[in-house]
Amino acid sequence: MKTIDIPYLCTTIGNLSGVPVRVFRGEELAFYYSVPNLPKDPMEVYRGEIFAVTDHVGYVMTRHFYYYGIVNSGETKIVIGPSRQIAAGNQELRDLAFRADVPREDVETFIAGMKSIIPMPFESILQMLCAVNHVLNGEKLSLADIAIYHETQEKLETQQRRKQAERRLSSFIGEVRSVHNTFDQEQTIMRMVRKGDTAALKEWTAAAPAISGGI
């Protein structure tokens, strides 16, 4: 049987997905490839959890909803990630940079590098793991064969719904702020009408501010 060129395999995966890939022999890093420029590898924050995975195929979900895919074959461990279904915000990435002990002068580079990782469905990472596992372990697995823990999937879906709701709310608030600036003026006019103060109403009309109709 021909020897598998694992660094070549991982470089190809990294180029196709844009996600960092590592190869460990035991617990020693033997190969690392990343298209994004990351001054520090965020994986180190979750090293203990990642090395606790001993199945041929597994994954780790982080507190920031990033996921790392793992393939084990003998003493070789391949770790793909981080990836995420929805892009992270600056505050989340600053928190991650702090936990990864990124030097202050490199934080902005780290954040830019993390943002350059294209959001990817969790299932796409699992498909990659199936392919790598087939090459290394000769197993033909499908997504149905990989245990997607209910809690993990639930967290992903909840986080996705929350982000979508936040975006819709932000968009709505921005629309209302930009469109509906009439309320105070409407109240002013109503007070004049109630008092029958036609002089004040004529004065207001002569110098009426620029307003837009509300929703």
Side-chain angles (χ1 to χ4, degrees):
M1 181 177 177
K2 295 178 64 176
T3 302
I4 299 170
D5 190 336
I6 295 178
Y8 172 77
L9 175 65
C10 291
T11 300
T12 302
I13 291 172
N15 284 330
L16 285 171
S17 66
V19 177
V21 186
R22 309 147 196 83
V23 179
F24 291 89
R25 305 291 186 189
E27 295 202 9
E28 295 296 320
L29 181 65
F31 178 80
Y32 173 80
Y33 182 76
S34 176
V35 174
N37 179 19
L38 298 172
K40 281 286 191 79
D41 186 354
M43 189 220 83
E44 291 300 322
V45 177
Y46 310 100
R47 185 183 180 96
E49 298 170 58
I50 287 170
F51 273 87
V53 176
T54 57
D55 293 338
H56 280 178
V57 179
Y59 55 86
V60 166
M61 174 72 63
T62 78
R63 59 179 286 187
H64 294 103
F65 298 100
Y66 279 104
Y67 31 85
Y68 291 85
I70 302 153
V71 175
N72 292 298
S73 180
E75 289 296 306
T76 299
K77 179 186 289 286
I78 294 178
V79 181
I80 303 172
S83 188
R84 185 172 145 139
Q85 290 190 166
I86 299 176
N90 283 345
Q91 189 54 50
E92 290 174 296
L93 293 175
R94 289 187 186 282
D95 179 57
L96 180 58
F98 175 78
R99 299 187 71 210
D101 199 25
V102 177
R104 181 178 299 178
E105 62 271 18
D106 292 331
V107 168
E108 294 305 321
T109 300
F110 177 83
I111 291 175
M114 291 295 292
K115 285 187 171 182
S116 71
I117 298 175
I118 299 172
M120 182 180 301
F122 186 44
E123 290 78 6
S124 296
I125 290 289
L126 295 182
Q127 290 282 12
M128 278 189 256
L129 299 180
C130 288
V132 174
N133 181 60
H134 176 57
V135 172
L136 296 187
N137 296 315
E139 297 173 330
K140 291 184 178 180
L141 300 180
S142 66
L143 296 188
D145 299 316
I146 303 174
I148 303 178
Y149 302 117
H150 178 70
E151 183 181 356
T152 297
Q153 191 61 30
E154 190 174 80
K155 283 182 179 179
L156 283 171
E157 292 172 356
T158 299
Q159 183 248 9
Q160 188 168 17
R161 287 195 298 269
R162 186 175 68 248
K163 289 291 184 183
Q164 290 171 343
E166 287 173 355
R167 287 173 181 171
R168 286 196 295 269
L169 179 59
S170 177
S171 175
F172 175 74
I173 290 174
E175 181 180 341
V176 170
R177 283 177 176 170
S178 64
V179 174
H180 190 185
N181 64 347
T182 66
F183 184 74
D184 290 342
Q185 301 301 328
E186 290 167 3
Q187 296 303 303
T188 298
I189 294 171
M190 288 301 295
R191 282 194 296 271
M192 295 175 187
V193 171
R194 288 192 188 99
K195 292 180 180 179
D197 192 347
T198 57
L201 184 58
K202 288 179 181 179
E203 183 180 345
W204 182 90
T205 305
I211 58 176
S212 300
I215 299 173

